[in-house]
Every structure is written in C-alpha cells, then in structure tokens.
Amino acid sequence: SIVHALQSTSKDARKEAAWKLGEIGLEDSVEPLSLALFDEKDVSVRIQIIEALSQIGTDEAIAGIMDVLDDPDNNVRKAAVGALRGVDLDEVSDKVIDELMYIAEEDIDGSVRLAAIDALFQYEDKKVTQMLSKLSSDSEPMIRDAIKRGMEQRAIIEEPKAKGPERKAKIGKKQRIKR
C-alpha cells in the first residue's frame, strides 16, 4: 500500500508515497505521515511529507507540521512555515499565529524568519500587526525591508476600498462644476 511505501528503503519511493497521500487527502493518512516525518532522515522527503500534511489540512495535520517548527534543518523549518501560511482552522489558528510570531522574531536563520513574516501578512490580527510594526526596526536590514514591502503591499490592497467613496465624491464635484 501507499502508506507502507513511506518506510521503503528507496528515498524516491518514500517521497512519491508522501506526494500521493497528500494528493488523495485522506484524514487517515495524517498519523502515518506524521510518524514518518519524525523517522525520516532525508530532508527532501521530510519536506514532501510537510506538503502532504498541508494538503490534507486538518487540525491534526497542521499540528503535525507545527511539531517540526523547531527542526534543526533550516529547509524543513522554512517548509513548515510556508505550509502554515494562511491556515484558518478554529482550533489551531491562534497557535499557528503565536508560533509564526515567535519564529519571525527568534529563528536563527534569516530565510526562515522571512518566511514567517510572509506567512504572518496573511493574517488580519491586531497582535500580528503590532508585532510586525515592532519588527520594522529589527537589526537585520532584510527583515526591515520585508516588513516595509509587506506593509506597502497591505496598503495597496486596502487603498482602493478606502478611496472608492472619495473618488465618487470627487467625480460628483467635477460633474457639478461642469454644469
């Protein structure tokens, strides 16, 4: 079976099994994938398992991903952070946000911090906005730049909504002047 292939001696077979389980998306796959994630030594297979858990997307699958946020490998942590981008599940959303905020501030790898910052911009949450504002004065220029770009992007997205009524009012004034 596909689940048994997660324990194959072939790295490619394990990777393909994880991919297939993610594609199928059965909740029953979460436990074997989570167990394989901890037993697996190959980083590329671990990343594929994270992607599979993300595709399944249940609270349990997200919890499995969160368990590797402190992994010693930067690429595994970055994949886990990316998989958590925009998670919107009642039971885990606050935990995800708290973990992403911690990683954005404290991770030793700049690329993992950047991935966490990118993921945090997907959440409209007061504590996230406050933390991102705080990070805008971070000692690392790449972190400050990412925050600046994210804030600018957020403003661009919100701007048309805010200016819609103003534009109508201006158009109305111009039309009245022409008459």
Side-chain angles (χ1 to χ4, degrees), residues 31-151:
E31 186 177 351
L33 283 166
S34 295
L35 292 171
L37 185 56
F38 285 99
D39 293 339
E40 183 59 53
K41 302 293 182 236
D42 186 272
V43 170
S44 66
V45 177
R46 296 183 82 213
I47 290 170
Q48 186 61 57
I49 293 170
I50 290 167
E51 290 175 16
L53 288 168
S54 175
Q55 285 179 290
I56 295 169
T58 62
D59 285 351
E60 295 79 19
I62 299 307
I65 294 168
M66 290 178 62
D67 285 342
V68 296
L69 288 172
D70 61 353
D71 194 87
D73 188 277
N74 297 343
N75 294 314
V76 171
R77 288 196 317 278
K78 191 167 24 173
V81 165
L84 295 175
R85 191 175 190 266
V87 165
D88 188 24
L89 299 170
D90 293 337
E91 289 184 34
V92 295
S93 290
D94 285 340
K95 292 177 190 173
V96 168
I97 289 170
D98 290 343
E99 286 292 324
L100 290 173
M101 287 176 34
Y102 176 79
I103 291 166
E105 287 187 283
E106 302 294 333
D107 199 273
I108 58 171
D109 183 80
S111 67
V112 177
R113 289 183 71 200
L114 289 173
I117 289 166
D118 179 59
L120 284 166
F121 272 110
Q122 305 306 306
Y123 295 97
E124 296 292 328
D125 184 284
K126 187 177 180 178
K127 67 181 176 182
V128 169
T129 302
Q130 290 172 343
M131 193 275 301
L132 290 170
S133 293
K134 178 181 152 191
L135 282 179
S136 67
S137 60
D138 193 85
S139 63
E140 291 290 328
M142 68 179 181
I143 300 297
R144 291 192 308 267
D145 291 346
I147 299 290
K148 182 181 176 187
R149 282 191 310 274
M151 294 290 194

Side-chain angles (χ1 to χ4, degrees), residues 14-24 48 51-52 55:
R14 295 190 310 272
K15 200 171 178 179
E16 185 176 345
W19 179 81
K20 284 180 182 177
L21 290 169
E23 286 292 308
I24 295 168
Q48 186 61 57
E51 290 175 16
Q55 285 179 290

Side-chain angles (χ1 to χ4, degrees), residues 8 10 27-28 77 83 113 121 145 152 175:
S8 170
S10 165
E27 287 185 39
D28 292 345
R77 288 196 317 278
R113 289 183 71 200
F121 272 110
D145 291 346
E152 288 170 352
Q175 287 174 346

